[in-house]
Amino acid sequence: MTQQGVDTKVAERPANARTARVARKTSESDVLVEVNLDGTGRTDISTSVPFYDHMLTALGKHSLIDLRVHATGDTHIDVHHTVEDVAISLGEALRQALGDKRGIARFGDALVPLDEALAQAVVDVSGRPYLVHTGEPAGQEYHLIGGHFTGSLTRHVLESIAHHADICLHVRVLAGRDPHHIVEAQFKALARALRAAVALDPRVEGVPSTKGAL
């Protein structure tokens, strides 16, 4: 599908497989994302943004979602484009892998510490994209972490994932001093909340909604 200079390709998947493959190519980046919701947390991450690689590796590991992300882009200008396009592609892959959402738990809630930092993430696989992001200390958005990743990108990544995965996501930082820890605690909290929300519950019949659709 080509729209406004964006070429996105979606591979067909076997019946009942909760997997997805999204390739997204623009004039600013070239991204490939593969996910398996029923994995073991295996990851293969290379985005050309080292700190982002670290965060996505943690996301896969702690969500138990197998995650492959390969991306290149115009990082000589700024890492923003590559980081954003990876998050968009990841959100789309999650949405596709969820399929009709039959049998999932739907909701997930996690509170995760990392030394002095503490973050909470709450996920509703609702079909209605929304992000509430609060609690980061003043100035966090200006920190340059790992020489490339600006603190303001954290919210942008969360927002892009939520909007393209069609999930409602609340993330709040309850404590933290070190910028690296503050970001990592949020990614790990998101991972654990996603792990719970996308899990198959044998007691759930059909789609977990009174409307009959998500």
Side-chain angles (χ1 to χ4, degrees):
M1 178 175 65
T2 303
Q3 183 179 10
Q4 296 180 344
V6 178
D7 184 15
T8 301
K9 297 179 181 179
V10 180
E12 291 186 4
R13 61 180 182 177
N16 300 322
R18 298 204 306 160
T19 61
R21 182 180 190 273
V22 172
R24 175 184 173 89
K25 188 171 185 178
T26 73
S27 61
E28 299 170 341
S29 69
D30 190 349
V31 178
L32 173 66
V33 172
E34 296 177 350
V35 302
N36 177 4
L37 300 185
D38 299 311
T40 59
R42 294 180 183 177
T43 58
D44 176 11
I45 311 293
S46 177
T47 68
S48 71
V49 184
F51 183 73
Y52 198 28
D53 290 355
H54 181 41
M55 294 301 97
L56 293 175
T57 299
L59 180 66
K61 178 70 172 180
H62 295 288
S63 66
L64 296 183
I65 295 172
D66 289 349
L67 182 58
R68 182 182 180 217
V69 179
H70 286 187
T72 56
D74 56 0
T75 55
H76 59 288
I77 296 174
D78 189 356
V79 305
H80 181 100
H81 297 148
T82 301
V83 169
E84 177 183 55
D85 287 345
V86 166
I88 289 171
S89 301
L90 177 55
E92 291 179 351
L94 289 172
R95 176 176 52 79
Q96 292 166 21
L98 281 162
D100 61 11
K101 308 180 182 73
R102 289 179 178 274
I104 66 168
R106 176 177 169 177
F107 299 100
D109 182 357
L111 192 62
V112 173
L114 178 55
D115 296 347
E116 87 297 343
L118 181 64
Q120 182 183 36
V122 183
V123 169
D124 176 9
V125 184
S126 62
R128 298 183 306 278
Y130 206 91
L131 173 70
V132 177
H133 182 242
T134 60
E136 286 188 340
Q140 170 71 13
E141 67 270 29
Y142 303 119
H143 283 285
L144 188 62
I145 307 167
H148 302 87
F149 191 94
T150 307
S152 61
L153 286 172
T154 305
R155 176 188 172 87
H156 193 49
V157 168
L158 297 173
E159 186 173 50
S160 297
I161 291 174
H163 282 204
H164 289 270
D166 284 349
I167 64 175
C168 175
L169 173 62
H170 286 243
V171 177
R172 60 175 179 157
V173 176
L174 287 84
R177 181 186 63 255
D178 182 272
H180 181 139
H181 291 173
I182 290 167
V183 178
E184 188 169 345
Q186 292 178 75
F187 272 84
K188 287 179 175 177
L190 171 60
R192 294 292 299 202
L194 274 175
R195 175 175 168 176
V198 306
L200 294 171
D201 187 331
R203 296 175 298 170
V204 175
E205 296 183 0
V207 177
S209 171
T210 56
K211 296 191 295 290
L214 289 171

